[in-house]
Amino acid sequence: MTRSCLAIVLAAGDSTRMKSSRSKVLHPVAGKPMIAHVIDALQAAGIAEVALVLGRDADQVEKAAARPGLSLASFIQTERLGTAHAVLAARDAIAKGYDDVLVVYGDTPLITEAPLTSARSGLQDGNDVVVIGFETADPTGYGRLLVENGALVAIREHKDATEAERAITLCNGGLMAIDGRKALDLLGRIGNSNAKSEYYLTDIVEVARAAGGRASVVVAPEAELTGCNTRAELAYIEKLWQERRRREFMLAGVSMIAPETVFLSHDTVLAPDVLIEPNVVFGPGVTVEADAIIHAFSHLEGAHVGPGATVGPYARLRPGAHLGADAKVGNFCEVKKAEIGEGAKINHLTYIGDATIGARTNIGAGTITCNYDGVNKHETHIGADAFIGSNSALVAPVTIGDRALVASGSVITDDVPAEALAFGRARQTVKPGRAVELKARYQAAKANRKGSKD
Ligand code: UD1
Ligand code: CA
């Protein structure tokens, strides 16, 4: 679109019903602040200029909204006198002159590019105002859209609506596009004689028509316009977001056996032919490549899983875990800040942190990289085709060469050269017949004790 556009994001609400010490729009959905979801939708719609209308936590909200390539201006609404009053807090930005002014809410994080672009197209078609509406089974509380012969004639707030108007199920989503050249004039004509004595942005429809202009509606899916006022609504929005993203992944070739039990992050990347088993949680920063399998009950964060690799069941990948192609991290293993080579295996009950492990190396059950001395972190480097016997403690900093072998139960404190065998434990001694002897001695002692008590 060649028309210039300013988006105004209303986020000055005091979030009373969230019962939070933070601004509502800072609360995360899929690990990303609500305000950032809204900004990303605006950027996806090609909008580069944004005015934020803020109340509390202005600095933090600004930080969460900042993006490269986005010009951001903030305006503080000191008194909360209604949505039209809030938009006018950004008066100086509007006055710069834009073809389109788009008003969106900071607490409507599921909005996508499509209805924003449609609303702007409506302006191009000659409307002064285009409202984004939705159909709902339960319209209680929303402004109702009064439509006659395809034109939007008014928006009636629930509190001000008649019985007949309350029966209308086409509602105001709150987001709208306004002709940028007329916006200040129209907004300036809005009064506050209504049930709440607020300056309602919604009155702009009647104001525009009274001035000889036109208004219309674009209808968006109800889910996209779901607003957040309470923690319960926040959880509902999270649920809708998760459902939407899981579905996108499945349609893009990712298999999920029980999708409703998989939790994704806003930035999770899953390639086609990845299989996700039930009850898997993705924290931020995870990429999984093709043909990898994430088995049940695994938790991944800041990790990269290479093609054909397998994780879990019950595995934990922490930030900096980087699994090469066909690597395996099995049950009750934790991997942090470690490069795991192609085809390497860490199958059972192991902690690998601050380490590199070469291709095809096998890490036995119960191996621990002792990376922390209580003050500093140290690194463990293990070469390719090495074998670490079960229950070994590798005390970092330590290096184990290619094709080296560490005997099980070892405490390795010195480097092991390539192709060497290292024992770090006491030698076993065997005493023939001593087991039977020992047992007889114990039995005799027990009988003795009993006799002395009688
Ligand atoms: C508003 C609409 C209603 C619509 C509903 C959709 C008006 C008058 N009503 O009602 O038609 O169906 O949204 O959710 O616009 N805000 C400020 N400063 C203010 C007032 C509000 O920044 O002075 C912000 C709020 O933080 C919020 C948004 O504007 O993000 C909407 O305000 P809110 O009071 O929630 O409006 P609703 O009563 O829900
Ligand atoms: Ca609201």
Side-chain angles (χ1 to χ4, degrees), residues 279-297:
N279 296 298
V280 171
V281 176
F282 292 94
V286 176
T287 303
V288 182
E289 294 197 55
D291 300 312
I293 301 175
I294 313 297
H295 291 290
F297 297 101

Side-chain angles (χ1 to χ4, degrees), residues 46 153 335:
V153 298
V335 178

Side-chain angles (χ1 to χ4, degrees), residues 157-175:
E157 287 308 295
H158 185 89
K159 279 196 173 152
D160 301 299
T162 64
E163 218 36 54
E165 287 166 344
R166 286 186 181 182
I168 295 171
T169 53
L170 180 62
C171 292
N172 175 25
L175 288 63

Side-chain angles (χ1 to χ4, degrees), residues 7 92 136 163 188 229 282 289 293 303 316 319 343 356 386 390 409 430 453:
D92 291 351
T136 180
E163 218 36 54
N229 298 302
F282 292 94
E289 294 197 55
I293 301 175
R316 179 167 184 212
T356 57
S390 295
V430 175
K453 264 188 218 157

